[in-house]
Amino acid sequence: MLAGISRSRAEGPLPAIKRRHEPLQITLALEAEWAECFALRRTVFIDEQGVPGDLERDEHDALAAHWISRMRGEIVGTARARVLERDVKAERVAVRKDMRGSGVGRALMSAIETWARAGRMDGVRLNAQSNAVPFYEVLGYTTEGAPFEEAGIPHRSMYKRL
Ligand code: COA
């Protein structure tokens, strides 16, 4: 449990999610499911994008809330979030390569926003890879501040007030 947000509330009804592929499930990952989330992150961020392994996994994993998206039992996406003062910070949003463009990323962000609203947070912030900025803009996030580099990849800070 984080900041008084219970698992059941966090899993409450999701707002309008486009589901081109049914049945897509998004749930808060049980600790027993974290290894699957970390394996997908490894594939996407380390193998595909070349992020160093010691940066991809960090000390926040133990305390963050992790989401897992499954289709017919198979993991197709993951993301994590943690509370930073009055906001939630979304991180490690990753969709399996062959499933991109199918609404999985939107559904993951929607689940994080639902969780943040349930905890009466002010908004959701994130550091977007520059090539993912248009994805977050579609979801209502706006860039803040100057571009910066993280793990050798250009990023922008983005924010959505809830
Ligand atoms: N540029 C412009 N628009 C994009 C986009 C992009 N790179 N990626 C998605 N969108 C748009 C979609 O067209 C869709 O808009 P629509 O509903 O109007 O058609 C909307 O954003 C939602 O797209 P969705 O299908 O839910 O996105 P996704 O499941 O492909 O997930 C990522 C997006 C970025 C999470 C996914 O591409 C991914 O895992 N990339 C590799 C890892 C990564 O870079 N993560 C982000 C780290 S900051």
Side-chain angles (χ1 to χ4, degrees), residues 13-21 24-27 67-69 71 76-79 90 93-96 99-115 117 124 126 132-141 160 162:
L14 298 176
I17 295 170
K18 183 169 54 183
R19 293 184 179 184
R20 294 188 191 122
H21 296 265
L24 180 69
Q25 286 185 323
I26 309 269
T27 55
W67 278 263
I68 187 163
S69 171
M71 193 173 298
V76 293
T78 188
V93 184
V95 174
R96 209 175 74 187
M99 288 300 301
R100 292 180 195 158
S102 304
V104 178
R106 180 192 285 273
L108 283 164
M109 291 307 299
S110 180
I112 289 174
E113 290 165 15
T114 298
W115 185 74
R117 280 194 190 93
V124 177
L126 52 90
V133 164
F135 160 70
Y136 293 112
E137 282 176 339
V138 167
L139 304 184
Y141 290 77
K160 179 176 179 176
L162 295 177

Side-chain angles (χ1 to χ4, degrees), residues 15-99:
I17 295 170
K18 183 169 54 183
R19 293 184 179 184
R20 294 188 191 122
H21 296 265
E22 289 286 351
L24 180 69
Q25 286 185 323
I26 309 269
T27 55
L28 268 173
L30 300 169
E31 210 163 326
E33 297 174 304
W34 286 7
E36 284 177 276
C37 300
F38 299 154
L40 179 60
R41 279 169 38 182
R42 162 171 283 278
T43 302
V44 171
F45 295 116
I46 300 177
D47 301 341
E48 184 185 330
Q49 298 188 338
V51 172
D54 57 340
L55 289 184
E56 203 290 308
R57 289 289 307 280
D58 66 17
E59 71 278 12
H60 301 304
D61 278 324
L63 290 173
H66 299 267
W67 278 263
I68 187 163
S69 171
R70 294 185 187 278
M71 193 173 298
R72 296 183 193 90
E74 275 183 44
I75 181 168
V76 293
T78 188
R80 80 175 190 194
R82 53 200 175 95
V83 174
L84 288 185
E85 300 180 355
R86 295 294 314 146
D87 295 322
V88 159
K89 182 156 186 263
E91 298 173 318
R92 308 297 194 275
V93 184
V95 174
R96 209 175 74 187
K97 201 167 187 176
D98 62 312
M99 288 300 301

